[in-house]
Amino acid sequence: MNSLYYQKRLSRNIGDKFFTSLSVICALIAILPLIFLVTYILIKGGSQITPELFTLEPNPPGDDLDAGGINPALIGTLIITTIASIIAIPVGVGGGIYLAEYSKGGAFSRFIRFGVNVLAGVPSIIAGVFIYALIVSTKILFGSMYSGLAGGMALSILMLPTVIKTTDEGLKLVPNELRYASLGVGASMYTTILKVTLPSAFRSIATGVVLGIARAAGETAPLIFTALFSYYYITGFGDLFYEMGSLAVLIYNFALEPYDAQNKLAWAASFILVLSILSVNIFSRILAAFTEKTKRV
Amino acid sequence: MEEKLPLFKNRKRFGIEKNIDIIFKNTALVLSSFVAIILLGIILVVFFQSFESFSRYGLKFLVTSEWNPVKDEYGAFTAIYGTLVTSFLSLLITIPLGVGTAIFITEDFVPKVFREIIGSFVELLAAIPSVVLGLWAIFVMEPFFRAFFVFLHNFFGWIPLFSTEPTGRNSLLAILILVVMLLPIVTAIARDSLNQVPKKLRNAAYGIGASRWKTIFSVILPAALSGIMAGVLLALGRAMGETMAVTMIIGNSNAFSWSLLSPGYTISSMLANQFGEADGSQVSSLFYAAFVLMILSLLVNIFAQWLVKKFSLKY
């Protein structure tokens, strides 16, 4: 009779209690520092934000008076990420189209899919080393060594696997009936892809690509010896072929300076970088959740 | 009056349309093979650049820790050791924490809303750039742990791992910041694989009278093991290649020491530090080190993919 009631002292119940509290403790240990980290960045960095920050050049470290702003780095990050996107998106979407629409699961497509996964796991600094050997040290780009262009190329290597994967997976989710219908009314393969399958997978592909761009914007390792850093305003097209600053490299350089003013600039840059990356992430998540809901109806 | 329309009209495709179709297909084919070209390019370029150093030092490079540009003596043992130690020890801390958190999120200890909030929060953290983590480590973590490290040295100094006086940046801090970096990855992947275990299994285990944790340990975790393992290996690859956060906090010293409380080096932090100013045979030696790093992370990645394929869920 008694055995039908919950018995506190039973060893299995004690064990269950123990492990439950253990997992709660794990979750707390895991999450508390993370919450602390984010709030610290937002508060410490947010308190450094001034209007001049967005318009001035950073002053070279040394005088501990005024650090200046981060305008060149901000613009540099935008330019370098744009260059990376211009290279990685067409190549990645094209490759993804081949994998999802044309390949028939043969050895070639299996090899490429495998290669995409391997490339995604290549350490980001290796991409920088590769571009350094290929472009910076050979001065192949019109005799310029370190340049924003080289930095953009290094970043594009990191973006490429993400773009291919999301295109491939997004296209695979498009129901085959759409393809049959399109081909059935006499459309050619490329019309089918460009007018039917790509548009219907557009949102999921766009979400993945935007997330990939956001990730690339925060990458530092591939830039430190391809784009290097610059203290000066970006004034024209020709600046693409010279050293170019970026927020990520600015944080790295100025965090290691012994001067307080530079450190503060690094916090301000982190604030801007983290805030924009997080908002892109949150926005695309909401968008993805919304799409999923409308599709299921 | 009424004109009769033919029901079907035979329309021949123009040659130009066919050609566009063929061109489109081949363009996509070429673009997709770019991945293979880039991958092979990276391997070949890094290998050939390291050739000079490789032929001079051979495998001795891997076991000596002299790094002296003046005397032209290079050995990367300190960096390789640092890479392996920091990544493995950080994983050792991350796995129980991450899997524990994932279990917490997938079981129904707290209402679903909270679990989803925690889950998406953890995922968002994976998006924080590592250079920002490095900045945080320098200005917040290092002062925070300083007293703890002194305590560690005073009481456990007889263990070689804690045998040096802590002075600012050191390998243990690098391990801790790697834990912060890897936790979101391991937690997210472990959660996904736990979620993929069919409900039937859980219900069956409960049905024959297993307690909650008996079910977790004997049914759910084994079923999700391959996914979790793959996630752990991916995290290992990430830890070995991680550059910025580690470079900023590890102290960057090539002097070999068993102690975690002394400044250390990893391959990627060595590259980040020296590549810009290196010349002569130092460049080749750095490429050699980069080659070692690449082979290590390639092996881990390929093994992870193999594991996923071999042991993926068969339910």
Side-chain angles (χ1 to χ4, degrees):
Chain A
M1 185 67 199
N2 239 358
S3 61
L4 281 182
Y5 291 96
Y6 179 77
Q7 286 167 315
K8 245 189 185 164
R9 307 246 160 172
L10 224 54
S11 70
R12 55 180 269 164
N13 290 339
I14 294 173
D16 259 26
K17 279 258 161 62
F18 170 73
F19 283 116
T20 302
S21 21
L22 204 64
S23 93
V24 172
I25 291 170
C26 277
L28 284 181
I29 294 178
I31 289 162
L32 284 183
L34 297 178
I35 291 176
F36 182 52
L37 165 76
V38 172
T39 40
Y40 193 90
I41 293 168
L42 294 184
I43 290 171
K44 172 92 179 175
S47 63
Q48 317 289 343
I49 299 293
T50 53
E52 295 90 63
L53 202 69
F54 296 97
T55 54
L56 292 179
E57 292 177 341
N59 291 329
D63 50 290
D64 206 3
L65 302 168
D66 179 37
I70 54 169
N71 176 286
L74 197 62
I75 308 288
T77 290
L78 290 179
I79 292 176
I80 291 173
T81 335
T82 311
I83 295 170
S85 315
I86 290 173
I87 302 170
I89 292 177
V91 175
V93 172
I97 287 177
Y98 182 81
L99 288 181
E101 300 284 342
Y102 287 108
S103 75
K104 298 181 184 75
F108 178 74
S109 67
R110 262 185 289 143
F111 174 66
I112 295 293
R113 286 205 175 99
F114 170 77
V116 169
N117 283 333
V118 173
L119 194 62
V122 167
S124 58
I125 195 154
I126 299 286
V129 169
F130 172 63
I131 293 294
Y132 177 90
L134 205 65
I135 288 171
V136 176
S137 68
T138 55
K139 301 185 186 178
I140 209 167
L141 285 176
F142 311 107
S144 71
M145 283 185 70
Y146 301 103
S147 67
L149 215 51
M153 287 176 174
L155 277 194
S156 73
I157 293 179
L158 297 179
M159 279 176 63
L160 186 59
T162 326
V163 179
I164 293 195
K165 249 191 215 169
T166 46
T167 310
D168 187 11
E169 275 154 23
L171 285 176
K172 270 197 237 153
L173 288 179
V174 176
N176 262 335
E177 283 81 357
L178 281 180
R179 293 192 185 97
Y180 299 151
S182 169
L183 294 172
V185 295
S188 59
M189 201 60 188
Y190 84 95
T191 327
T192 306
I193 293 170
L194 289 183
K195 295 264 170 71
V196 179
T197 46
L198 258 191
S200 56
F202 179 75
R203 239 194 239 176
S204 60
I205 294 175
T207 315
V209 169
V210 167
L211 286 180
I213 294 174
R215 201 176 86 92
E219 282 286 357
T220 318
L223 296 182
I224 46 181
F225 35 76
T226 52
L228 226 59
F229 188 69
S230 151
Y231 286 96
Y232 310 111
Y233 287 125
I234 294 161
T235 49
F237 185 75
D239 284 349
L240 280 182
F241 298 99
Y242 294 98
E243 292 93 340
M244 191 178 278
S246 56
L247 287 177
V249 179
L250 181 136
I251 297 169
Y252 173 60
N253 285 350
F254 284 3
L256 300 175
E257 291 293 342
Y259 306 104
D260 195 42
Q262 267 70 36
N263 294 343
K264 278 184 176 157
L265 217 55
W267 279 110
S270 308
F271 174 79
I272 294 169
L273 198 58
V274 168
L275 199 67
S276 36
I277 289 176
L278 284 190
S279 44
V280 165
N281 268 275
I282 293 171
F283 181 70
S284 55
R285 247 159 238 272
I286 293 172
L287 201 72
F290 179 72
T291 325
E292 220 165 89
K293 254 180 210 159
T294 48
K295 256 186 192 164
R296 292 244 171 94
V297 169
Chain B
M1 248 259 331
E2 209 172 273
E3 198 187 337
K4 208 178 171 195
L5 281 166
L7 197 51
F8 293 107
K9 207 170 102 191
N10 231 351
R11 173 178 162 271
K12 282 235 171 74
R13 244 176 226 179
F14 297 113
I16 192 164
E17 210 179 323
K18 279 185 190 162
N19 284 336
I20 290 177
D21 216 20
I22 293 166
I23 292 169
F24 187 77
K25 178 181 174 173
N26 288 329
T27 316
L29 176 65
V30 169
L31 290 179
S32 75
S33 52
F34 265 33
V35 175
I37 294 170
I38 290 174
L39 199 59
L40 286 179
I42 291 176
I43 294 172
L44 288 180
V45 164
V46 176
F47 178 73
F48 279 115
Q49 296 279 349
S50 67
F51 200 72
E52 186 203 324
S53 176
F54 185 77
S55 56
R56 181 151 5 136
Y57 305 113
L59 295 177
K60 213 183 85 197
F61 184 78
L62 307 177
V63 291
T64 54
S65 58
E66 181 94 9
W67 191 275
N68 194 335
V70 182
K71 284 198 287 183
D72 244 14
E73 285 284 333
Y74 298 103
F77 179 71
T78 309
I80 295 171
Y81 172 80
T83 302
L84 294 177
V85 162
T86 50
S87 48
F88 276 104
L89 286 184
S90 60
L91 261 190
L92 216 60
I93 304 174
T94 311
I95 293 171
L97 280 179
V99 175
T101 311
I103 291 176
F104 178 76
I105 301 175
T106 48
E107 294 285 320
D108 50 356
F109 298 132
V110 289
K112 198 170 181 218
V113 191
F114 289 111
R115 287 185 277 142
E116 274 180 2
I117 290 174
I118 295 172
S120 44
F121 185 72
V122 168
E123 267 176 38
L124 277 184
L125 283 164
I128 290 186
S130 67
V131 69
V132 176
L133 290 179
L135 180 72
W136 185 74
I138 289 177
F139 291 104
V140 183
M141 226 167 81
E142 197 263 315
F144 183 79
F145 278 109
R146 206 175 284 158
F148 173 68
F149 288 158
V150 171
F151 163 81
L152 215 57
H153 173 65
N154 287 343
F155 284 86
F156 299 99
W158 46 274
I159 304 174
L161 286 181
F162 306 119
S163 59
T164 50
E165 196 84 30
T167 51
R169 299 171 192 173
N170 58 40
S171 309
L172 195 52
L173 282 166
I175 292 173
L176 291 176
I177 199 70
L178 276 177
V179 171
V180 175
M181 259 196 72
L182 300 182
L183 252 179
I185 305 173
V186 172
T187 308
I189 295 180
R191 186 195 59 177
D192 287 349
S193 8
L194 287 173
N195 271 336
Q196 275 172 14
V197 177
K199 255 205 137 77
K200 277 188 279 181
L201 290 182
R202 179 191 294 270
N203 292 342
Y206 284 161
I208 57 171
S211 69
R212 181 202 286 273
W213 282 93
K214 180 74 186 161
T215 310
I216 292 174
F217 282 128
S218 314
V219 177
I220 303 203
L221 277 182
L225 194 65
S226 72
I228 296 176
M229 280 294 292
V232 166
L233 281 177
L234 284 183
L236 178 64
R238 190 66 86 73
M240 291 195 307
E242 169 48 34
T243 314
M244 298 327 293
V246 171
T247 307
M248 289 162 87
I249 199 66
I250 200 168
N252 300 318
S253 151
N254 199 49
F256 180 78
S257 162
W258 291 108
S259 172
L260 294 179
L261 295 176
S262 69
Y265 233 164
T266 65
I267 297 178
S268 46
S269 65
M270 187 163 87
L271 291 172
N273 259 309
Q274 303 192 358
F275 215 93
E277 294 111 45
D279 52 356
S281 59
Q282 191 183 356
V283 176
S284 180
S285 295
L286 285 172
F287 270 111
Y288 192 179
F291 188 68
V292 173
L293 173 65
M294 200 171 62
I295 295 298
L296 282 177
S297 66
L298 281 187
L299 286 180
V300 168
N301 263 293
I302 291 171
F303 186 57
Q305 288 195 52
W306 176 81
L307 203 71
V308 169
K309 232 177 229 161
K310 180 101 185 180
F311 295 105
S312 57
L313 283 179
K314 295 183 189 89
Y315 298 105

